[in-house]
Amino acid sequence: MIETLRWTAAGVEMIDQTRLPHVEEFVLCADYKAVADAIQTMIIRGAPAIGVAAAMGVALGAQQASDENFDAEFETICQTLAATRPTAVNLFWGIERMRRLRQSLAGEPLSVVREKLMAEAQLVHDEDIAINKRIGAFGAPLVPDGKTVLTHCNAGALATAGYGTALGVIRAAVEAGKKIDVFADETRPFLQGSRLTVWELQKDGIDTTLITDNMAGHFLRSGRIGCVVVGADRIAANGDVANKIGTYGVAVLAKENGVPFYVAAPISTLDLSIPGGEQIPIEERSASEVTAMFGHKVAPDGTKVKNPAFDVTPNRYVAGIITERGVATAPFEENLRKLVEGK
Ligand code: MRU
């Protein structure tokens, strides 16, 4: 299985996702600032993966924080990591989990606190893989046999600690013996689909075809696509879903053509404090991602640009939200809450 990130004696190592698919290189983050930088520059990306990276970053920072000023430094570490990217709620979830642990250990010797923070970050990592396997098990029966699954962006092993959410559903369907193939949207401007999804599915020997984003409607209309499965960066209480820019268009086209549109995400991606999608903060990234493609200019100098990294798909386009606790369908407000409360 692809290792997205791991502990080493020298710090946190992560596969550099800005260099894939042609360069497979691990970079070492020797302190929490390097982890924050890796999240911001998208060396590591994908909602669950940045949640895990943030938890590891907090643990790493705590190892290096001074005894004299531990709690003030701990807070700076949490705030620095939280300021990296605004949309994926898993980032804040990972940091909050570490903060709560620290608070529960008030009065313990700092050696114990540091040790427990390291163990907790490893647990966050390992749990994420187990969660993805459960998402896969709930999602696989929804995938029609003998058809094509369309996916957008990369919600795979690389976007998580391993196995993936949307790609976890695809992997589980293949493991269950279903004869399916995958269409991967290339996902402009950062090309997570062509660079990452195609790369990791090829490694698993899963039949994958790359299409540009503007081809999705054509194939959804053709009758060949059995379902769409994507990941999510944040899901509001009413089931509105923030995911990679372009997801909304795919969802509308899927509904228009009678193709079920599924979202695969862990419970940690649910943000029940936010009533609807309009309250989800959408990251705006640099114009250069749009005016140039990996060093090559593709627009005149001085071009005005918009580059929202995510969009919101209203819940009416969503056939089901596949979590590690089961599949929520409409009415989402009620059914997501039941899943979170474990009912
Ligand atoms: O900007 P990115 O690459 O971090 O965006 C990733 C996505 O939008 C994924 O679909 C989402 O995080 C789910 S990953 C399991």
Side-chain angles (χ1 to χ4, degrees):
M1 194 164 77
I2 297 156
E3 254 193 314
T4 311
L5 75 174
R6 60 188 177 213
W7 285 119
T8 67
V12 183
E13 264 189 5
M14 17 182 115
I15 193 161
D16 185 347
Q17 299 194 31
T18 64
R19 306 201 68 195
L20 287 171
H22 297 298
V23 181
E24 293 181 25
E25 186 180 78
F26 276 81
V27 294
L28 172 69
C29 299
D31 57 34
Y32 81 89
K33 286 188 181 153
V35 175
D37 204 49
I39 295 172
Q40 197 150 40
T41 58
M42 292 172 68
I43 284 172
I44 190 158
R45 33 65 51 201
I50 64 178
V52 175
M56 287 172 134
V58 172
L60 185 62
Q63 307 311 302
Q64 296 163 346
S66 70
D67 280 7
E68 301 70 46
N69 231 350
F70 185 84
D71 279 308
E73 286 176 37
F74 185 84
E75 201 37 46
T76 304
I77 293 163
C78 292
Q79 284 174 16
T80 305
L81 286 158
T84 50
R85 296 191 74 190
T87 304
V89 75
N90 310 61
L91 177 80
F92 309 102
W93 170 90
I95 295 167
E96 212 33 54
R97 182 161 159 173
M98 300 301 277
R99 215 186 240 132
R100 274 201 311 274
L101 177 66
R102 186 332 166 218
Q103 283 158 5
S104 75
L105 297 169
E108 295 279 349
L110 288 178
S111 58
V112 173
V113 172
R114 290 190 175 101
E115 201 180 300
K116 293 212 165 155
L117 286 167
M118 287 295 275
E120 186 75 1
Q122 184 61 47
L123 190 65
V124 170
H125 175 281
D126 297 349
E127 278 177 6
D128 187 58
I129 299 173
I131 285 168
N132 293 334
K133 296 245 166 104
R134 287 205 293 279
I135 290 174
F138 281 116
L142 302 172
V143 176
D145 204 358
K147 301 282 262 184
T148 299
V149 181
L150 176 68
T151 191
H152 188 75
C153 193
N154 172 267
L158 290 167
T160 61
Y163 200 70
T165 56
L167 299 195
V169 170
I170 290 168
R171 286 191 166 98
V174 170
E175 284 160 20
K178 289 196 172 172
K179 301 273 174 285
I180 55 167
D181 71 325
V182 177
F183 271 25
D185 283 350
E186 73 171 348
T187 317
R188 270 280 277 154
F190 211 68
L191 306 185
Q192 289 95 330
S194 59
R195 296 187 305 107
L196 309 177
T197 293
V198 174
W199 178 80
E200 68 165 85
L201 291 180
Q202 274 179 358
K203 273 200 180 275
D204 275 9
I206 296 175
D207 181 356
T208 305
T209 302
L210 174 65
I211 61 170
T212 61
D213 300 336
N214 51 357
M215 295 173 190
H218 172 77
F219 287 110
L220 282 162
R221 192 163 168 258
S222 72
R224 156 173 202 158
I225 311 286
C227 69
V228 177
V229 189
V230 298
D233 290 86
R234 196 185 292 227
I235 301 173
N238 69 349
D240 290 352
V241 174
N243 190 47
K244 179 53 52 193
I245 192 75
T247 302
Y248 172 42
V250 174
V252 175
L253 287 162
K255 181 151 189 161
E256 174 67 21
N257 290 286
V259 176
F261 174 90
Y262 296 111
V263 176
I267 294 287
S268 56
T269 303
L270 298 179
D271 184 357
L272 299 189
S273 74
I274 285 192
E278 31 332 308
Q279 282 94 24
I280 299 176
I282 301 293
E283 177 182 10
E284 180 78 21
R285 291 189 64 86
S286 131
S288 63
E289 287 180 359
V290 177
T291 55
M293 286 179 81
F294 296 89
H296 294 280
K297 286 186 184 174
V298 293
D301 289 340
T303 300
K304 273 169 59 179
V305 171
K306 286 272 184 213
N307 186 15
F310 303 96
D311 60 26
V312 172
T313 299
N315 59 18
R316 65 180 177 279
Y317 295 103
V318 179
I321 298 176
I322 308 162
T323 76
E324 69 272 31
R325 296 194 192 152
V327 182
T329 52
F332 287 106
E333 183 102 47
E334 190 183 321
N335 291 335
L336 286 175
R337 202 164 287 280
K338 277 190 196 155
L339 281 187
V340 170
E341 288 165 3
K343 287 179 191 155

